[in-house]
């Protein structure tokens, strides 16, 4: 592939979307607005500092909006929603879903699914 010396929209978009947790955040917010803690639980596994950094970056890119709610004497609550540009990423998530269903289905053995690292104990599937 050639070196990117000028503006390439695909190269730039991949640079934004490849950051760890970004698509997980977008996917979680496609279900509707979420407070910081609710979003952290929905994303799962992302530490608070990293989540804060990713949210700030997505806000700068105008993919999400942050609203602060007064909690009447308690700490203010931050609520995050997708902007129209952020909601347009639904088609990206859908494309990844379609590709993964076609190409990443784990083979099933009598003992359950198998991954590159070995058999997986059957568990509740991750909701899509």
């Amino acid at each position: 592939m050639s070196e990117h010396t000028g503006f390439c929209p695909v190269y730039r978009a991949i640079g934004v979307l490849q950051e760890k947790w970004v698509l997980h955040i977008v996917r979680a917010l496609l279900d509707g607005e979420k407070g910081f803690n609710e979003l952290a639980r929905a994303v799962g596994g992302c530490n608070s500092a990293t989540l804060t950094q990713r949210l700030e970056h997505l806000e700068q890119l105008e993919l999400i909006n942050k609203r602060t709610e007064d909690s009447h004497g308690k700490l203010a609550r931050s609520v995050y929603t997708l902007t129209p540009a952020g909601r347009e990423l639904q088609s990206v998530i859908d494309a990844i879903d379609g590709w993964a269903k076609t190409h990443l289905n784990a083979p099933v053995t009598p003992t359950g699914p198998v991954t590159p690292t070995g058999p997986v104990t059957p568990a509740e599937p991750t909701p899509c």
Side-chain angles (χ1 to χ4, degrees):
M1 190 159 277
S2 63
E3 185 177 324
H4 296 281
T5 56
F7 177 72
C8 174
V10 173
Y11 188 81
R12 173 81 168 107
I14 290 171
V16 169
L17 298 176
Q18 76 172 347
E19 288 185 17
K20 191 167 184 177
W21 306 112
V22 165
L23 287 175
H24 295 283
I25 293 166
V26 169
R27 184 173 181 231
L29 290 174
L30 284 167
D31 291 335
E33 70 177 29
K34 291 186 175 27
F36 184 88
N37 292 332
E38 184 182 8
L39 187 55
R41 284 189 300 275
V43 169
C46 182
N47 69 54
S48 294
T50 301
L51 182 57
T52 298
Q53 189 265 336
R54 294 299 187 269
L55 290 169
E56 288 172 353
H57 188 222
L58 292 171
E59 191 176 11
Q60 289 171 353
L61 293 169
E62 299 181 355
L63 295 175
I64 65 169
N65 286 320
K66 176 183 176 182
R67 181 178 81 248
T68 304
E69 293 181 346
D70 183 14
S71 297
H72 308 292
K74 300 176 187 172
L75 292 175
R77 178 176 184 254
S78 296
V79 178
Y80 299 90
T81 57
L82 290 172
T83 64
R87 283 191 298 275
E88 286 181 27
L89 290 171
Q90 175 74 58
S91 62
V92 174
I93 300 292
D94 291 344
I96 292 169
D97 178 58
W99 182 88
K101 286 177 179 173
T102 300
H103 300 287
L104 297 181
N105 286 331
V108 178
T109 67
T111 59
V114 175
T115 67
T117 58
V120 174
T121 304
E124 289 297 313
T126 303
C128 284

